[in-house]
Amino acid sequence: MNRNEFIIATAVILFVAFMLGWFASWLVNRFTRVTKSEVDELDKMAQALHEAEETRDQAITYLQQREAEMTNQLSQTEAELRAAMDGLREARHETEELRTYLERQNAG
């Protein structure tokens, strides 16, 4: 093989390698290309996700406020119950004292 044949063979091999690389690049680009409809669908999904997160945050805030209200109401109810129980205890004590007083009056 002389010098000209070697140069032509090398040129043909390089050209074939270039064409195979270009074809492979074209195939990869064709299969990984993102269409406008896919981008629009992703935008819609992102918007829906954002709205869902806002709704979740609002629900969490509402539940925290509601929990605080219910805790406050429970505390007030427990305080009223303690006051009622103390009043009942005092009334029973007074009743017992009056009963004892009346028994002493009737006996003596």
Side-chain angles (χ1 to χ4, degrees), residues 25-26 37 39 58 66 75 84 89-90 103:
S25 173
W26 177 79
S37 63
V39 171
Q58 291 173 352
R66 191 72 177 129
S75 297
R89 192 174 301 113
E90 289 177 19
E103 286 176 1

Side-chain angles (χ1 to χ4, degrees), residues 45-63:
M45 287 174 31
Q47 182 65 28
L49 177 62
H50 181 69
E51 291 172 1
E53 287 176 344
E54 285 181 354
T55 304
R56 182 203 63 201
D57 291 343
Q58 291 173 352
I60 288 172
T61 302
Y62 172 76
L63 287 175

